[in-house]
Amino acid sequence: MASWSDFVAAEPTLAAGIRALLQQYGPGMAYLATVRADGSPRIHPVSPVITDEGLYCFIVNSPKRRDLDRDGRYALHTYPPEETDDEAYLAGRATPVRDPRVINDLADALRASHAVDWRLYELFIDTATLRRHGPVGALPLSATPAVRAVARTWRAELSRPLAVA
């Protein structure tokens, strides 16, 4: 598993493309999938936070947080852009942040009220994928010319990107 900063150091161009999609509407926006106790998936919208050090998410007391506390596996998928069907996907393990400095700095920077029952998680990355569909990706299916999507995937254990057409 790799931290966001490890991923950026290993593959800066891929990380920049994923970050751009995560933050395309200003603050981070994505869908977070977690694993329920019965093994089925649970998905919720979240606002991931990217810093130079890591990829984080504030999670309030909820079924999603209980999922992460029990089984830290996650998948994070970007919202679709308006002009394309480009997408980014991260998967790995979420770990509660224990360092009070990190917690307080992010809470202060993002105005996260300490009166709310939230917990800060760092999202460590096993797999990162960026898939580009091109400018015609968002057109109705009947009007879409045959354009092959291009995907790049990075895996922490391989520490190099895989090009997939």
Side-chain angles (χ1 to χ4, degrees):
M1 255 186 309
S3 68
W4 178 262
S5 61
D6 293 336
F7 170 50
V8 170
E11 189 52 43
T13 304
L14 184 58
I18 290 173
R19 184 176 189 158
L21 281 174
L22 284 169
Q23 296 178 328
Q24 66 186 307
Y25 297 109
M29 294 178 69
Y31 295 104
L32 177 70
T34 58
V35 181
R36 297 174 188 244
D38 68 3
S40 63
R42 183 187 317 271
I43 189 161
H44 294 277
V46 293
S47 294
V49 177
I50 300 172
T51 70
D52 289 341
E53 292 77 37
L55 173 62
Y56 303 94
C57 210
F58 288 91
I59 307 289
V60 297
N61 188 9
S62 63
K64 170 177 42 187
R65 186 164 99 186
R66 288 187 288 282
D67 290 346
L68 291 176
D69 287 342
R70 189 192 66 267
D71 179 340
R73 290 178 294 166
Y74 79 88
L76 192 70
H77 195 281
T78 56
Y79 282 31
E82 292 180 23
E83 66 283 352
T84 71
D85 286 335
D86 292 355
E87 56 192 319
Y89 164 87
L90 299 167
R93 288 208 170 262
T95 304
V97 175
R98 305 278 186 229
D99 183 338
R101 181 196 56 80
V102 173
I103 295 168
N104 290 326
D105 287 353
L106 283 174
D108 291 347
L110 297 165
R111 299 186 195 121
S113 171
H114 290 283
V116 175
D117 182 11
W118 51 258
R119 187 172 298 145
L120 182 64
Y121 290 82
E122 184 169 1
L123 305 180
F124 290 93
I125 303 164
D126 283 330
T127 302
T129 297
L130 177 63
R131 189 170 172 89
R132 299 281 190 197
H133 295 269
V136 297
L139 295 176
L141 293 176
S142 61
T144 304
V147 176
R148 281 188 78 169
V150 175
R152 289 187 64 205
T153 296
W154 176 86
R155 292 193 177 91
E157 72 273 5
L158 298 178
S159 194
R160 63 183 177 84
L162 302 174
V164 180

